[in-house]
């Protein structure tokens, strides 16, 4: 690269390749949002992840041939210029909208080789519906987008979602939508996809504005209703009077949900005359009050069938049914149901199977169950009628305690070095799950994630404030790895209110720190500072020295993110001192690495080397291989800045070996960045290009736009050093665009300087001055030695002295 001063080149390059600063409480890499990829020519993209999210097909599906044919026509028309990619199935509650949608989706899924996405939007559940943000987050993860690459804002998530499914053939089923607002952010922008929506509402706005087609699903005909009754009872009953089957269908208002429940009861009593069952159903007069706001024959029929079937259940199954109505989340596992009911797991499974057999509960996956929304409302009503307030509160306390304790067990495996925030022993009647390995623990988190917000809120509403702050406090470590910002912030706020309600200062500090990290990782830095400073104040007030050290480190990470290096140095030094005082070598390892990298940035590589050597030793002492890999990577940077390239090679190769052995893909990508820098320092820019390409490929897959931009910028520098200035300018422009979008003013200033330098020697030198002018203004915001020196160099060029 021709800048007129090779010293400037090394100073600027070091800033683009530093090891990430890590948090002591959640050892993670901070990453920015991703909105599509920029690709090196010739690099292969990673294989696409193909989601298969459809729930199981409906057993014994009959009739609806006309409706299935119309959906088939929509599929046949897909891809035509006038074809519509959205189909709405509307109809009253219990008419079979979901069954039809899933049955057709299973028959057509082979036409969508890039996957099938499904979400129950729960627009009619008693609890809060699934928000577009939550649905987008789930879809993006299912499509293979790394958690750290998922943006915090809805518009950004929706844009990334549309980009991800672009040019793919994906079937998207949006079940139980209540409003157009729930649906519109989930619509792809590609005509190759097909969206199937079910709703009780007509969703006229979706038809008018988005060109959706509507299929109104009516109740079954008399012939179809009898056919369904015969299909479900086949093998159990015979010789039933056709006229009585017609009467049973009429009493069920010819609604598939009610028909299946009635048929199952008839099947379970094969020797009982159908006329007697019909008489029982006709005489059923104990109707509940608030199934729906509607007051019509269909609603009355459904209420009657529910009550008729419920009263036929054995008492222990009926109790399980109504207690399930108190479960706070949309889906319940057999283990959570056992905790809710206070039974053993074997008995719980038996009772759940009985409810599934009676069509009072649906089993969507092995060991996982959910209600039809009408049945959930009925179960909740029965719990309110038949269980005392004390019994209801005890059930909620048992199940939320189970979530807290099982979450603790999972976090102990996923993040074994993190602080344990639970100090009270578990109650004897709650048996949490245990996990043999990381995979099992993380699968549990993924399965239960949709229940955590609801469980936290349910605990707070029941006055169980200790549990309400403990659950989000325990989950913080995993949230920091996965970045589910909406869930993270929602549970954190409820937990914070509950901790303050209980005057629990320790819990308050934990939730303040958690929210601070959530806002930091979602790039809301001012709000992050507010929460981190509040956490530090509470921890200092209660004498929590470990907590003070953690909060001080958090403020150091925030300052480093803003490139306020002197502040970051002070915070990290204070935090290290407390960890030394406490004898906490595990956290010392990370903090020494943080501090060492700041020393490098402040032009103190000699001091950095000593600090980073101690970080490596501490990491090895406590057996933290991730910390060791990070420290070795940082040490390589410090060695390079001192000109000790052989030592730098040894350190980065050791870091890379650890990263590969333990599948630390993030660290592997950072190692390639540093290997590129070392190659350039040795005068081998062609070798550096290979390392930059490897790093950028991994960063793109991980969704880390900031580090991908640094690799792009470094590629431009390598091309400059090879005298290929036009090619260099292309990569610098990409880096400038990335850093500008991410709001990283320091990296933007460096990339603008590099772009201007390349343009000055290219075929188009005219724009260089404007880029240097902007870079100078940005650099004026920073007072560290390197920023001052680089700005002086830029200003020399602008005044004609460079």
């Amino acid at each position: 690269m021709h800048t007129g001063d090779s010293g400037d080149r090394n100073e600027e390059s070091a800033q683009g390749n530093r090891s990430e600063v890590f948090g002591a409480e959640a050892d993670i890499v901070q990453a920015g949002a991703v909105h599509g990829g920029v690709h090196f020519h010739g690099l292969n993209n990673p294989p696409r992840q193909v989601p298969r999210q459809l729930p199981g097909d409906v057993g014994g599906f009959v009739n609806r041939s006309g409706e299935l044919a119309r959906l088939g026509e929509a599929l046949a028309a897909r891809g035509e210029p006038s074809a519509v990619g959205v189909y709405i199935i509307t109809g009253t509650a219990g008419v079979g909208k979901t069954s039809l949608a899933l049955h057709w989706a299973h028959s057509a899924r082979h036409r969508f080789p890039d996957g099938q996405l499904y979400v129950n939007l729960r627009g009619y559940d008693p609890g809060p519906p699934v928000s577009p943000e939550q649905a987008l987050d789930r879809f993006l993860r299912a499509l293979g987008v790394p958690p750290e690459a998922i943006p915090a804002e809805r518009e950004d998530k929706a844009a990334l979602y549309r980009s991800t499914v672009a040019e793919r053939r994906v079937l998207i089923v949006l079940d139980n939508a209540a409003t157009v607002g729930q649906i519109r952010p989930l619509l792809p922008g590609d005509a190759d996809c097909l969206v199937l929506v079910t709703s009780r509402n007509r969703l006229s706005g979706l038809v008018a504005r988005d060109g959706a087609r509507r299929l109104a699903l009516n109740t079954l005909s008399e012939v179809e209703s009898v056919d369904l009754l015969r299909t479900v009872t086949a093998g159990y009953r015979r010789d039933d009077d056709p006229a009585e089957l017609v009467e049973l269908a009429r009493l069920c208002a010819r609604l598939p949900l009610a028909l299946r429940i009635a048929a199952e009861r008839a099947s379970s009593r094969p020797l009982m005359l159908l006329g007697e069952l019909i008489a029982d159903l006709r005489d059923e007069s104990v109707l509940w009050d608030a199934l729906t706001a509607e007051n019509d024959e269909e609603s009355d029929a459904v209420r009657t069938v529910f009550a008729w079937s419920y009263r036929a259940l054995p008492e222990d199954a009926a109790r399980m049914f109504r207690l399930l109505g108190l479960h706070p989340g949309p889906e319940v596992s057999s283990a959570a149901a056992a905790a809710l009911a206070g039974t053993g797991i074997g008995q719980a499974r038996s009772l759940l199977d009985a409810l599934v057999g009676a069509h009072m509960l649906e089993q969507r996956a092995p060991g996982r169950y959910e209600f039809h929304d009408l049945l959930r409302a009925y179960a909740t009503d029965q719990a309110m009628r038949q269980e005392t307030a004390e019994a209801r509160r005890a059930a909620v306390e048992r199940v939320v305690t189970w979530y807290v304790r099982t979450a603790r067990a999972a976090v102990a495996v996923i993040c074994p070095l993190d602080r344990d925030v639970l100090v009270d022993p578990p109650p004897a009647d709650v048996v949490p799950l245990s996990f043999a390995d990381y995979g099992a623990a993380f699968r549990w988190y993924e399965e239960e994630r949709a229940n955590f917000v609801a469980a936290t809120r349910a605990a707070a509403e029941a006055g169980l404030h200790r549990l309400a702050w403990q659950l989000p406090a325990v989950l913080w470590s995993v949230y920091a790895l996965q970045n589910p910002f909406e869930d993270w912030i929602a549970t954190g706020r409820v937990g914070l209110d509950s901790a303050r309600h209980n005057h629990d200062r320790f819990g308050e500090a934990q939730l303040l720190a958690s929210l601070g990290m959530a806002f930091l990782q979602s790039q809301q830095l001012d709000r992050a500072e507010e929460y981190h400073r509040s956490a530090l104040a509470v921890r200092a007030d209660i004498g929590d020295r470990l907590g003070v050290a953690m909060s001080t480190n958090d403020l150091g990470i925030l300052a480093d993110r803003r490139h306020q290096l002197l502040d970051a140095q002070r915070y990290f030094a204070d935090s290290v001192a407390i960890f030394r005082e406490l004898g906490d070598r595990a956290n010392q390892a990370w903090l020494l690495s943080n501090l060492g990298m700041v020393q490098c940035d402040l032009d103190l590589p000699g001091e950095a080397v000593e600090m980073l050597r101690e970080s490596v030793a501490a990491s090895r002492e406590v057996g933290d291989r991730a910390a060791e890999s990070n420290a070795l990577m940082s040490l390589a940077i410090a060695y390079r800045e001192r000109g000790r390239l052989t030592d730098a090679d040894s350190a980065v190769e050791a870091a890379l070996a650890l990263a590969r052995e333990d599948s630390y893909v993030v660290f592997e990508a950072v190692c390639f960045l540093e290997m590129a820098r070392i190659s350039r320092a040795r005068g081998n820019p062609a070798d550096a290009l290979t390392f930059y390409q490897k790093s950028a490929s991994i960063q793109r897959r991980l969704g880390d736009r900031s580090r991908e931009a640094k690799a792009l910028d470094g590629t431009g520098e390598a091309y400059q050093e090879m005298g290929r200035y036009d090619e260099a300018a292309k990569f610098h422009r990409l880096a400038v665009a990335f850093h500008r979008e991410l709001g990283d003013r320091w990296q933007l200033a460096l990339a603008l300087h590099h772009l201007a330098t390349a343009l000055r020697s290219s075929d188009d030198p005219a724009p260089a001055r404007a880029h240097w002018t902007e870079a100078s203004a940005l650099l004026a915001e920073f007072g560290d030695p390197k920023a001052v020196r680089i700005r002086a160099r830029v200003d020399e060029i602008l005044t004609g002295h460079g």
Side-chain angles (χ1 to χ4, degrees):
M1 179 172 99
H2 300 279
T3 65
D5 187 339
S6 60
D8 281 350
R9 178 184 70 221
N10 290 335
E11 290 157 9
E12 298 147 22
S13 299
Q15 294 302 307
N17 190 43
R18 57 167 303 175
S19 181
E20 185 59 75
V21 174
F22 286 75
E25 293 179 277
D27 302 333
I28 56 159
V29 176
Q30 311 296 326
V34 64
H35 305 274
V38 177
H39 305 280
F40 283 116
H41 179 70
L43 286 181
N44 292 324
N45 291 322
R48 288 177 172 178
Q49 188 164 313
V50 179
R52 307 290 187 193
Q53 292 192 325
L54 291 179
D57 197 356
V58 180
F61 187 90
V62 294
N63 305 308
R64 301 298 192 190
S65 55
E67 291 85 352
L68 290 170
R70 288 183 62 185
L71 291 172
E73 292 169 4
L75 179 59
R78 188 175 54 88
E80 296 178 4
S82 61
V84 178
V86 183
Y87 222 111
I88 309 168
I89 302 175
T90 65
T92 189
V95 79
K97 299 181 294 296
T98 298
S99 296
L100 175 65
L102 291 180
H103 184 69
W104 181 85
H106 275 278
S107 70
R109 62 183 178 181
H110 66 283
R111 301 287 296 274
F112 298 91
D114 295 312
Q116 304 90 44
L117 296 169
Y118 171 87
V119 63
N120 185 346
L121 294 171
R122 304 191 181 280
Y124 306 97
D125 275 21
V130 174
S131 69
E133 292 87 344
Q134 290 172 316
L136 285 166
D137 188 273
R138 296 175 197 176
F139 281 177
L140 288 168
R141 291 168 194 264
L143 289 163
V145 177
E148 62 270 20
I150 298 176
E153 299 300 323
R154 177 199 291 187
E155 292 77 10
D156 295 333
K157 285 182 180 179
L160 177 56
Y161 166 68
R162 289 191 295 271
S163 297
T164 304
V165 298
E167 299 181 5
R168 299 193 195 188
R169 287 183 289 168
V170 179
L171 175 62
I172 302 156
V173 180
L174 308 178
D175 201 10
N176 290 312
T179 66
V180 172
Q182 268 189 304
I183 299 167
R184 194 163 277 137
L186 307 180
L187 299 181
D190 199 300
D192 284 339
C193 296
L194 184 66
V195 181
L196 198 57
V197 181
T198 73
S199 179
R200 295 182 199 171
N201 299 333
R202 291 177 57 81
L203 303 177
S204 298
L206 207 63
V207 175
R209 175 176 162 182
D210 301 278
R213 293 180 181 177
R214 186 189 295 121
L215 171 61
L217 199 61
N218 298 315
T219 58
L220 295 174
S221 69
E222 182 179 287
V223 172
E224 290 172 328
S225 299
V226 171
D227 189 15
L228 176 56
L229 290 171
R230 290 194 183 278
T231 299
V232 176
T233 59
Y236 299 95
R237 302 183 63 88
R238 59 182 181 178
D239 300 329
D240 283 328
D241 187 339
E244 291 181 334
L245 289 171
V246 170
E247 174 64 7
L248 181 58
R250 187 191 67 77
L251 291 171
C252 293
R254 301 200 305 274
L255 289 168
L257 175 64
L259 286 165
R260 285 183 178 275
I261 292 173
E264 181 56 41
R265 185 170 176 192
S267 298
S268 66
R269 292 160 177 77
L271 299 181
M272 189 174 185
L273 295 176
L274 189 59
E276 296 177 17
L277 288 169
I278 291 171
D280 287 345
L281 178 55
R282 191 183 292 117
D283 293 341
E284 179 62 56
S285 59
V286 183
L287 303 177
W288 61 305
D289 297 327
L291 177 64
T292 69
E294 302 171 1
N295 182 20
D296 54 30
E297 182 181 348
E298 291 171 354
S299 298
D300 289 346
V302 171
R303 290 195 294 267
T304 301
V305 171
F306 285 175
W308 177 64
S309 185
Y310 171 70
R311 261 175 263 287
L313 293 171
E315 174 49 35
D316 53 357
R319 177 176 178 269
M320 174 64 84
F321 174 80
R322 60 182 179 265
L323 289 181
L324 287 173
L326 302 175
H327 182 263
E331 188 178 279
V332 63
S333 68
S334 52
L340 182 72
T343 67
I345 185 67
Q347 183 181 2
R349 288 192 184 114
S350 177
L351 296 175
L352 292 167
D353 287 344
L355 294 175
V356 170
H359 286 283
M360 301 292 280
L361 188 67
E362 299 174 30
Q363 184 172 5
R364 289 297 193 191
R368 303 198 67 79
Y369 305 84
E370 65 179 0
F371 278 124
H372 187 286
D373 51 14
L374 296 179
L375 281 160
R376 179 183 174 89
Y378 183 75
T380 303
D381 182 80
Q382 293 309 304
M384 299 299 292
R385 290 173 180 271
Q386 298 187 44
E387 300 288 335
T388 65
E390 293 77 11
R392 294 196 300 271
R393 187 178 190 274
V396 172
E397 183 173 12
R398 284 192 301 270
V399 75
V400 178
T401 299
W402 181 84
Y403 278 116
V404 171
R405 290 290 161 179
T406 304
R408 182 196 193 192
V411 169
V413 175
I414 297 170
C415 306
L417 296 178
D418 281 6
R419 188 181 198 184
D420 186 358
V421 300
L422 300 187
V423 294
D424 47 337
D429 59 345
V430 174
V431 181
L433 299 179
S434 59
F435 304 97
D437 53 36
Y438 181 100
F442 191 76
R443 279 193 299 275
W444 179 83
Y445 162 79
E446 286 281 275
E447 289 174 346
E448 296 291 350
R449 189 188 137 196
N451 290 324
F452 294 141
V453 175
T456 303
R457 287 176 174 154
E461 291 167 1
L464 302 167
H465 293 292
R466 185 166 180 78
L467 291 174
W469 77 253
Q470 284 182 333
L471 183 55
V474 169
L475 289 168
W476 171 15
S477 297
V478 188
Y479 280 163
L481 288 171
Q482 294 295 304
N483 286 351
F485 292 119
E486 186 175 10
D487 292 357
W488 189 355
I489 293 170
T491 57
R493 284 173 167 162
V494 173
L496 179 60
D497 288 343
S498 283
R500 286 172 170 168
H501 184 278
N502 269 15
H503 306 290
D504 191 318
R505 302 278 278 164
F506 176 80
E508 179 184 4
Q510 291 298 120
L511 271 301
L512 285 167
S514 175
L515 286 165
M517 189 61 71
F519 288 121
L520 176 69
Q521 292 184 203
S522 61
Q523 304 299 315
Q524 301 177 67
L525 300 189
D526 291 342
R527 302 190 75 181
E529 181 175 8
E530 174 190 343
Y531 280 98
H532 280 317
R533 290 197 180 281
S534 296
L536 177 60
V538 173
R539 285 167 162 172
D541 189 49
I542 64 177
D544 179 5
R545 293 291 287 164
L546 178 61
V548 166
M550 291 174 169
S551 287
T552 303
N553 174 57
D554 291 337
L555 289 169
I557 295 172
L558 178 64
D560 184 79
R561 182 70 64 86
R562 290 168 164 165
H563 200 73
Q564 298 168 346
L565 299 181
L566 292 175
D567 288 342
Q569 180 188 43
R570 174 170 53 84
Y571 285 127
F572 290 146
D574 290 348
S575 186
V576 167
I578 299 174
F579 285 132
R580 289 192 194 278
E581 168 197 322
L582 297 174
D584 187 335
R585 292 289 281 169
N587 277 319
Q588 279 182 59
W590 287 102
L591 264 295
L592 287 166
S593 184
N594 289 355
L595 185 55
M597 286 316 303
V598 172
Q599 303 287 56
C600 270
D601 289 347
L602 289 170
D603 264 358
L604 300 169
E607 295 181 21
V609 165
E610 297 307 311
M611 203 158 290
L612 291 165
R613 281 175 173 167
E614 185 181 351
S615 177
V616 172
S619 302
R620 289 171 176 167
E621 181 182 322
V622 299
D624 190 337
R625 288 165 62 88
E628 181 183 353
S629 180
N630 181 63
L632 285 165
M633 234 304 306
S634 303
L635 184 58
I637 295 173
Y639 278 142
R640 174 174 53 78
E641 291 208 353
R642 295 203 70 186
R644 297 169 56 176
L645 300 185
T646 300
D647 290 334
D649 270 333
S650 297
V652 75
E653 286 170 4
L656 181 60
L658 282 171
R660 284 177 164 171
E661 288 171 14
D662 292 354
S663 299
Y664 299 140
V665 181
V666 173
F667 292 179
E668 184 178 349
V670 177
C671 286
F672 285 135
L673 267 179
E674 179 56 21
M675 293 170 85
R677 297 294 187 187
I678 295 170
S679 294
R680 287 176 52 212
R682 290 188 182 278
N684 299 321
D687 292 342
L689 285 177
T690 301
F691 291 125
Y692 281 132
Q693 288 179 344
K694 289 180 179 179
S695 180
S697 180
I698 297 173
Q699 306 293 7
R700 188 180 316 116
R701 187 171 77 244
L702 294 173
D704 190 332
R705 293 198 87 196
S706 177
R707 284 207 183 96
E708 185 181 355
K710 292 172 187 176
L712 293 169
D713 201 36
T715 301
E717 292 182 276
Y719 274 125
Q720 287 197 57
E721 290 162 9
M722 297 167 68
R724 297 163 62 175
Y725 302 106
D726 290 334
E727 289 173 270
K730 293 176 183 178
F731 284 94
H732 290 313
R733 284 192 182 97
L734 291 172
V736 165
F738 276 30
H739 290 311
R740 194 184 300 282
E741 185 178 348
L742 293 170
D744 189 331
R745 298 173 72 79
W746 170 247
Q747 292 296 337
L748 174 60
L750 296 181
L752 285 165
H753 174 34
H754 298 156
L755 173 59
T757 305
L759 288 172
R760 183 171 63 172
S761 300
S762 73
D763 295 335
D764 184 23
R769 184 173 186 82
H771 295 313
W772 266 317
T773 300
E774 184 181 0
S776 177
L778 290 168
L779 289 164
E781 301 175 10
F782 307 101
D784 58 277
K786 289 183 179 178
V788 171
R789 188 161 57 255
I790 297 169
R791 187 183 183 220
R793 173 62 184 149
V794 170
D795 288 347
E796 283 180 3
I797 297 170
L798 288 170
T799 57
H801 299 295

